[in-house]
Amino acid sequence: MRRLRSSTVVLGGMGVLAATITSCGSEPDKRCVDPLTSEKLPSYECESGNGSGSSGSGSSGTARGSYYYGGSVSDNKVSGGSFDKKAVDTGGFGCSGSSGG
C-alpha cells in the first residue's frame, strides 16, 4: 500500500478550495429583457444612451430593456430568473444563501 506524500494531499486540497471559491463567486447569466413582455432583447437595448442622442429610430437615450439574471430562454421569452441580481442563487458549492441585512 502506497502512502500519499503530504505535498500531494496539500495540492489536492488547494484544488478543492480553488473550485469552491470560484463557484461561489460566479456570476449568474445576464440577459437583456423587456420587463413588460419578458421578451429577450439585443444587449444594446439595455445600455443607456451616452449623452447626445443618435439619429436612430427616435431613441431618447433611455434603455428599453433591463438586465435579467439567471433563468432560461424559451421561444425568445425568459423565465425562472429575476431582474434583481441579488435574488438569483448561483448554486455554488459551499456558498451561503443569505446576504445579511
Side-chain angles (χ1 to χ4, degrees):
M1 190 185 217
R2 274 179 50 184
R3 295 182 119 191
L4 293 176
R5 295 181 185 260
S6 62
S7 61
T8 304
V9 173
V10 169
L11 289 175
M14 293 299 285
V16 170
L17 178 63
T20 301
I21 291 171
T22 302
S23 64
C24 192
S26 64
E27 293 286 317
D29 290 339
K30 179 171 81 170
R31 299 172 178 87
C32 185
V33 173
D34 184 332
L36 299 177
T37 64
S38 297
E39 180 184 355
K40 184 175 180 284
L41 301 172
S43 61
Y44 66 82
E45 292 283 355
C46 283
E47 298 167 359
S48 62
N50 295 329
S52 63
S54 63
S55 60
S57 59
S59 175
S60 62
T62 52
R64 172 181 164 203
S66 296
Y67 284 114
Y68 188 84
Y69 300 94
S72 60
V73 179
S74 179
D75 295 326
N76 209 35
K77 299 273 185 170
V78 296
S79 64
S82 175
F83 287 102
D84 181 8
K85 184 177 180 180
K86 294 177 185 175
V88 178
D89 181 20
T90 58
F93 174 74
C95 295
S96 169
S98 64
S99 60

